[in-house]
Amino acid sequence: MRIIVSPDPVTTGAAAAHAVASAADDRPDLVLGVATGSSPQPLYRSLAILVRAGLDLSSATAFALDEYVGLAPDHPESYHSVIAREVTAPLHLDPARVHVPEGPAADAGAAAEAYERAIARAGGVDLQILGIGTNGHIGFNEPGSAADSRTRVVELAPQTIADNSRFFLDPAEPVPTHALTQGVGTILEARRIVLVATGGHKADAIARAVEGPVTAAVPASFLQRHPDVTLFLDDAAASRLSPALSTPSVNA
Ligand code: F6R
């Protein structure tokens, strides 16, 4: 696990964007795994600047990690909408190559299997971008998720529902309670993983993921078993790591 600590979220996102850009330079038909939420936004913004300067992602394929169950795809907070707005358009991706799990599908089990097959048909994910929940989730694999779990419908933890309520400001509209998410096992099959975490509210989850035991109680701790993971952290998110890991530097 490599850890790169930067002073603030913007610098963190820029460092992660350069890692993604260099992977795309090496392989124009890169298969990218994309996360939603706040953490990767500075990454996407930096990457968009590189795209405007000439980086070509038009042959890349993208697979989102998850989608809410019970939100129409055209709802502004559905991950179909968020990915279209924050990823596909600014990165000039080909919309036909951007995939989001079909959260509202009538047969969610079939939708989950179809998503796994689509990832396999694309040859697997080359580089997966991840955030981390304050409870240590990756994708929406909440505490208790197995290391070999696959794409499936999950119930969101109360902590996640509380954390996500900031995106659902209309009190008449409840925060979704379920999602269709790639499994931990699905995520761990990506050849390379880039996790972005910023802010002191992520410090505990990061410390447990990096230095705690590998346990289903902290799904991000399963990343310790992956051979190619880079964590891009700001000072605040790194603040509970042991001093050798949290200094602004690259750690092998
Ligand atoms: C989003 C996702 C989640 C988020 C996590 C952190 O697609 O899979 O795991 O990455 O909940 O969210 P933020 O970045 O908003 O704190």
Side-chain angles (χ1 to χ4, degrees), residues 18-182:
H18 278 96
V20 177
S22 101
D25 276 339
D26 292 346
R27 188 174 170 186
D29 59 347
L30 189 73
V31 180
L32 205 51
V34 286
T36 49
S38 313
S39 310
Q41 286 177 2
L43 185 172
Y44 297 139
R45 280 197 284 269
S46 282
L47 205 52
I49 292 170
L50 297 175
V51 166
R52 289 199 295 278
L55 175 70
D56 182 7
L57 295 178
S58 62
S59 305
T61 296
F63 286 93
L65 278 171
D66 36 32
E67 174 58 292
Y68 293 119
V69 169
L71 274 196
D74 63 354
H75 187 289
E77 292 308 327
S78 81
Y79 287 167
H80 279 77
S81 297
V82 172
I83 291 286
R85 194 168 62 229
E86 295 177 2
V87 180
T88 312
L91 302 187
H92 299 182
L93 298 181
D94 173 358
R97 292 175 181 267
V98 178
H99 308 269
V100 180
E102 291 305 327
D107 185 344
E113 279 174 30
Y115 205 64
E116 291 269 348
R117 279 198 303 275
I119 294 173
R121 261 198 316 275
V125 170
D126 294 309
L127 191 156
Q128 175 67 55
I129 298 166
L130 289 181
I132 183 171
T134 54
N135 63 359
H137 73 210
I138 49 173
F140 279 133
N141 294 283
E142 302 289 20
S145 298
D148 61 355
S149 53
R150 309 301 304 185
T151 303
R152 67 204 186 288
V153 173
V154 294
E155 184 173 3
L156 301 179
Q159 181 65 56
T160 302
I161 295 172
D163 289 347
N164 287 352
S165 63
R166 71 192 191 280
F167 296 114
F168 296 88
L169 297 176
D170 179 354
E173 202 177 28
V175 184
T177 56
H178 290 74
L180 185 54
T181 182
Q182 288 189 34

Side-chain angles (χ1 to χ4, degrees), residues 1-22:
M1 211 178 246
R2 281 179 299 277
I3 301 177
I4 297 180
V5 182
S6 304
D8 55 66
V10 171
T11 321
T12 304
H18 278 96
V20 177
S22 101

